[in-house]
Amino acid sequence: MKIEGGCHCRAVRFEAEVPRAVEVLDCNCSICTMTGFRHLIVPHQDFRLVSGGQALTSYRFGTGAAEHLFCSVCGIKSFYRPRSHPAAWSVNLNALDDTDALEVTVHAFDGRNWEKAREALD
Protein backbone atom coordinates (compact mmCIF):
# COMPACT_ATOMS: atom_id res chain seq x y z
CA MET A 1 0.00 0.00 0.00
CA LYS A 2 1.08 3.57 -0.57
CA ILE A 3 1.93 5.75 2.42
CA GLU A 4 2.66 9.47 2.39
CA GLY A 5 4.25 11.80 4.86
CA GLY A 6 6.75 14.53 5.51
CA CYS A 7 7.78 17.29 7.83
CA HIS A 8 5.61 19.66 9.88
CA CYS A 9 5.74 22.61 7.45
CA ARG A 10 5.20 20.27 4.47
CA ALA A 11 8.32 21.48 2.66
CA VAL A 12 9.60 17.85 2.69
CA ARG A 13 7.20 15.25 1.30
CA PHE A 14 7.72 11.56 0.54
CA GLU A 15 5.77 8.48 -0.43
CA ALA A 16 6.55 4.80 -0.07
CA GLU A 17 5.14 1.39 -0.77
CA VAL A 18 4.81 -0.84 2.31
CA PRO A 19 2.79 -3.91 3.24
CA ARG A 20 -0.37 -3.32 5.29
CA ALA A 21 1.21 -5.13 8.28
CA VAL A 22 4.44 -3.35 9.24
CA GLU A 23 6.99 -3.71 12.00
CA VAL A 24 8.32 -0.56 13.61
CA LEU A 25 11.42 -0.23 15.77
CA ASP A 26 11.14 1.94 18.88
CA CYS A 27 14.74 2.90 19.60
CA ASN A 28 16.04 4.19 22.92
CA CYS A 29 19.23 5.86 21.64
CA SER A 30 19.80 9.52 22.49
CA ILE A 31 18.59 11.05 19.20
CA CYS A 32 15.54 8.80 18.76
CA THR A 33 14.47 9.32 22.36
CA MET A 34 14.78 13.09 22.07
CA THR A 35 12.97 13.31 18.71
CA GLY A 36 10.32 10.60 19.19
CA PHE A 37 11.45 8.78 16.05
CA ARG A 38 9.76 5.40 15.41
CA HIS A 39 11.48 3.48 12.61
CA LEU A 40 9.59 2.03 9.67
CA ILE A 41 12.30 0.53 7.43
CA VAL A 42 11.59 1.01 3.71
CA PRO A 43 13.92 -0.36 0.99
CA HIS A 44 15.38 2.34 -1.25
CA GLN A 45 13.42 1.12 -4.29
CA ASP A 46 10.10 1.48 -2.41
CA PHE A 47 10.70 5.09 -1.27
CA ARG A 48 10.36 8.32 -3.26
CA LEU A 49 11.16 11.84 -2.14
CA VAL A 50 8.34 13.89 -3.70
CA SER A 51 9.55 17.36 -2.72
CA GLY A 52 11.86 19.22 -0.40
CA GLY A 53 15.25 17.75 -1.16
CA GLN A 54 16.69 21.26 -1.18
CA ALA A 55 15.21 21.89 2.30
CA LEU A 56 16.97 18.92 3.91
CA THR A 57 19.99 19.47 6.12
CA SER A 58 22.27 16.63 7.16
CA TYR A 59 23.60 15.78 10.62
CA ARG A 60 26.00 12.97 11.51
CA PHE A 61 27.40 11.98 14.89
CA GLY A 62 29.18 9.04 16.51
CA THR A 63 30.49 6.79 13.73
CA GLY A 64 28.98 9.07 11.08
CA ALA A 65 27.45 6.07 9.30
CA ALA A 66 23.86 7.27 9.68
CA GLU A 67 22.81 10.42 7.85
CA HIS A 68 20.10 12.21 9.81
CA LEU A 69 18.11 14.49 7.51
CA PHE A 70 16.14 17.38 9.01
CA CYS A 71 13.91 19.95 7.34
CA SER A 72 15.84 23.23 7.49
CA VAL A 73 12.55 25.13 7.82
CA CYS A 74 10.72 23.33 10.66
CA GLY A 75 13.43 21.00 12.03
CA ILE A 76 11.51 17.74 11.69
CA LYS A 77 13.30 14.50 10.77
CA SER A 78 10.69 12.57 8.79
CA PHE A 79 13.14 10.03 7.33
CA TYR A 80 16.87 9.36 7.26
CA ARG A 81 19.60 7.00 6.07
CA PRO A 82 20.09 4.54 8.98
CA ARG A 83 23.29 2.85 10.03
CA SER A 84 21.42 -0.38 10.77
CA HIS A 85 19.84 -0.78 7.31
CA PRO A 86 22.15 0.72 4.65
CA ALA A 87 19.94 -0.49 1.76
CA ALA A 88 16.87 1.27 3.14
CA TRP A 89 15.44 4.50 4.48
CA SER A 90 14.10 4.75 8.00
CA VAL A 91 10.77 6.57 7.89
CA ASN A 92 9.36 8.08 11.06
CA LEU A 93 5.97 6.48 11.69
CA ASN A 94 5.04 9.73 13.47
CA ALA A 95 5.62 11.69 10.24
CA LEU A 96 3.06 9.77 8.19
CA ASP A 97 -0.12 11.56 7.14
CA ASP A 98 -2.31 8.61 8.12
CA THR A 99 -1.56 5.32 9.85
CA ASP A 100 -5.15 4.08 10.26
CA ALA A 101 -4.90 1.51 7.44
CA LEU A 102 -1.61 0.08 8.74
CA GLU A 103 -1.37 -2.87 11.10
CA VAL A 104 1.60 -1.74 13.21
CA THR A 105 3.65 -4.01 15.45
CA VAL A 106 6.20 -2.15 17.58
CA HIS A 107 9.46 -3.76 18.70
CA ALA A 108 11.87 -2.24 21.18
CA PHE A 109 15.37 -1.64 19.82
CA ASP A 110 18.19 -1.05 22.31
CA GLY A 111 20.00 1.72 20.45
CA ARG A 112 21.91 2.65 23.61
CA ASN A 113 23.73 -0.67 23.11
CA TRP A 114 23.74 -0.44 19.34
CA GLU A 115 26.34 -3.08 18.40
CA LYS A 116 24.67 -5.81 20.46
CA ALA A 117 21.16 -4.79 19.37
CA ARG A 118 22.20 -4.68 15.69
CA GLU A 119 23.18 -8.36 15.82
CA ALA A 120 19.59 -9.23 16.79
CA LEU A 121 18.24 -7.63 13.60
CA ASP A 122 19.86 -10.23 11.34
Side-chain angles (χ1 to χ4, degrees):
M1 66 181 291
K2 183 170 130 177
I3 57 171
E4 298 174 310
C7 66
H8 188 260
C9 72
R10 300 184 69 82
V12 176
R13 299 294 299 159
F14 64 81
E15 61 186 28
E17 288 292 328
V18 298
R20 183 171 305 283
V22 296
E23 294 187 359
V24 172
L25 298 175
D26 190 12
C27 180
N28 67 355
C29 78
S30 60
I31 197 164
C32 291
T33 298
M34 289 181 179
T35 60
F37 201 97
R38 298 175 75 197
H39 303 261
L40 172 57
I41 305 301
V42 177
H44 286 158
Q45 67 270 15
D46 295 335
F47 178 92
R48 185 172 80 87
L49 181 61
V50 175
S51 64
Q54 72 287 351
L56 292 172
T57 188
S58 176
Y59 172 67
R60 294 177 189 254
F61 68 97
T63 66
E67 183 179 16
H68 300 270
L69 299 167
F70 296 85
C71 174
S72 60
V73 179
C74 67
I76 297 299
K77 179 173 75 165
S78 53
F79 70 96
Y80 80 107
R81 189 169 294 127
R83 175 182 174 195
S84 60
H85 296 81
W89 293 102
S90 182
V91 170
N92 188 352
L93 184 72
N94 294 326
L96 297 181
D97 295 342
D98 186 7
T99 59
D100 289 344
L102 293 175
E103 297 171 21
V104 179
T105 303
V106 179
H107 298 282
F109 181 77
D110 187 10
R112 291 182 184 161
N113 299 293
W114 196 91
E115 296 297 336
K116 184 176 179 183
R118 172 62 181 101
E119 292 173 9
L121 292 176
D122 294 333

